[in-house]
Amino acid sequence: MDKSKLNNFFHSLFPIQKEIVEKITETFCDFTLDKNTILLDKDTISTKTYFLEKGYMRSYILNEDNEEITTNIYYAPCFVNDFLSFFKKQPTKETYQTITECSFWQTNLENVQKNFHSIPEFREFSRLLFVINYSKLNDRVIEMASKKAETRYINLLKQQPHIFQNVPLKIIASYLGITDSSLSRIRKEISKI
Amino acid sequence: MDKSKLNNFFHSLFPIQKEIVEKITETFCDFTLDKNTILLDKDTISTKTYFLEKGYMRSYILNEDNEEITTNIYYAPCFVNDFLSFFKKQPTKETYQTITECSFWQTNLENVQKNFHSIPEFREFSRLLFVINYSKLNDRVIEMASKKAETRYINLLKQQPHIFQNVPLKIIASYLGITDSSLSRIRKEISKI
DNA sequence: ATAAGCACTTGATAAATGACAAGAAATTAT
DNA sequence: ATAATTTCTTGTCATTTATCAAGTGCTTAT
């Protein structure tokens, strides 16, 4: 039950006292999942918030042709949350699945609510997490709308090279909004240079 | 100084007492802007949070060819916020500009902070706003990654037809991630049916 | 160890979208 | 009211990406 990675995540985001972090993470429990295992299935309600301590995972939807479209790739350390489902108790649209073996910490909404309303630092942390996630997502929309696939690939490779060591190319392709054969061709083109 | 539209926005999101809403919106001041006017310029720090009471506006960035890429379209009633800039005091990447004549209510971070930490209902409201905005943005990423331009156009037309009565097509085109001539052709194709 | 199933690549071809330029239509400024 | 400016459309052609199918190599299960 070593919560150091979980606790350090709080410290890494903003200045906060050790005792307060320990109070916040008091109710978190740990578990692990094998690779290619579903953490949260679509059309279910997320009752937990998850901290990914180790590993790679993704969220995906099925399109009209029943192809999996990867909507997000997650890597430790980070919080993994279907905000709409967890906070508004709505069924998820996406399925959340591990890519590698993963270890997690989790807690439920009741504990989050208690902390949110009783610990000012946790409120600030929660909001900061939202702001950061929103901003990342916004950057991605901008890339999707303004850059061609090759540029998006190059940027991802530059910014998160480790993803290519841990996530299959077909998942990366759909995350970039292209087919796996297109990604393969783009990689071939670039390797020539 | 009729705050009814501002106040009603709170009531429309979740059950909350009239007196609490009035307390929250106490510090909001109103102003109006002409069409095509900048509300918040890129590379500046957003010191205000805005409620758009009437009108249409957008955010945009300039790409490497100095073309404006519309990143978001806003229409009343809604809150308009550059989260990263407002909460983390970072310079904005995007410029926020009115499209039609707009009327706003605004307040500053100090007031938001005071309410956030002293009024539980305002905390819940703030988080709900984040969740809803995040979820909308996520839906947009999914569309961008999985649907072709024509489908994205049809969906926007179905879901927000009023946008086409109030926002120039070239802005809508870049919001959809295509050029204005492509949008023109797509519209022509569809009108044939 | 072998077979089965995936992941990845590659070829040929088609579809979607972009680039650029010119003109029509609408809007705005004088 | 007229001119100037901006928006929208359309034509031609180029580029980007998708589709489908086949083949190779890697991983996994028995």
Side-chain angles (χ1 to χ4, degrees), chain A residues 175-190:
Chain A
Y175 175 73
L176 289 170
I178 55 178
T179 59
D180 48 353
S181 27
S182 288
L183 178 58
S184 183
R185 272 182 252 275
I186 287 171
R187 284 164 62 83
K188 194 182 174 186
E189 264 320 294
I190 287 170

Side-chain angles (χ1 to χ4, degrees), chain A residues 34-185:
Chain A
D34 273 349
K35 64 187 296 188
N36 298 322
T37 307
I38 289 173
L39 171 69
L40 180 60
D41 208 352
K42 79 159 156 47
D43 300 326
T44 61
I45 293 173
S46 172
T47 62
K48 299 286 196 299
T49 189
Y50 304 99
F51 175 74
L52 178 60
E53 179 183 82
K54 185 176 150 291
Y56 287 77
M57 58 178 305
R58 65 162 178 155
S59 50
Y60 69 88
I61 54 154
L62 294 177
N63 70 4
E64 54 277 7
D65 300 330
N66 257 32
E67 292 156 344
E68 295 177 357
I69 309 289
T70 296
T71 51
N72 219 336
I73 295 174
Y74 302 88
Y75 47 89
C78 72
F79 272 87
V80 176
N81 228 313
D82 191 297
F83 293 128
L84 200 61
S85 183
F86 183 66
F87 288 114
K88 292 196 71 185
K89 297 183 176 160
Q90 295 187 4
T92 61
K93 294 179 188 168
E94 290 151 87
T95 297
Y96 293 74
Q97 182 193 38
T98 62
I99 293 170
T100 63
E101 191 188 320
C102 288
S103 55
F104 298 92
W105 294 91
Q106 67 173 21
T107 192
N108 63 26
L109 182 56
E110 196 191 331
N111 291 320
V112 169
Q113 285 298 72
K114 211 184 299 169
N115 288 337
F116 187 67
H117 289 297
S118 68
I119 307 179
E121 291 83 355
F122 180 69
R123 301 200 267 276
E124 290 287 340
F125 168 80
S126 302
R127 197 172 56 188
L128 193 54
L129 213 54
F130 265 117
V131 166
I132 291 170
N133 280 312
Y134 186 90
S135 167
K136 275 189 196 166
L137 198 57
N138 200 43
D139 289 347
R140 196 155 152 235
V141 174
I142 293 173
E143 274 224 311
M144 286 293 215
S146 67
K147 302 279 199 302
K148 64 178 184 168
E150 184 178 306
T151 311
R152 301 202 297 274
Y153 165 73
I154 291 171
N155 287 349
L156 186 64
L157 188 58
K158 245 188 285 178
Q159 285 155 30
Q160 316 291 346
H162 56 96
I163 287 182
F164 292 84
Q165 268 77 66
N166 292 281
V167 178
L169 288 173
K170 53 175 266 186
I171 287 181
I172 296 176
S174 83
Y175 175 73
L176 289 170
I178 55 178
T179 59
D180 48 353
S181 27
S182 288
L183 178 58
S184 183
R185 272 182 252 275

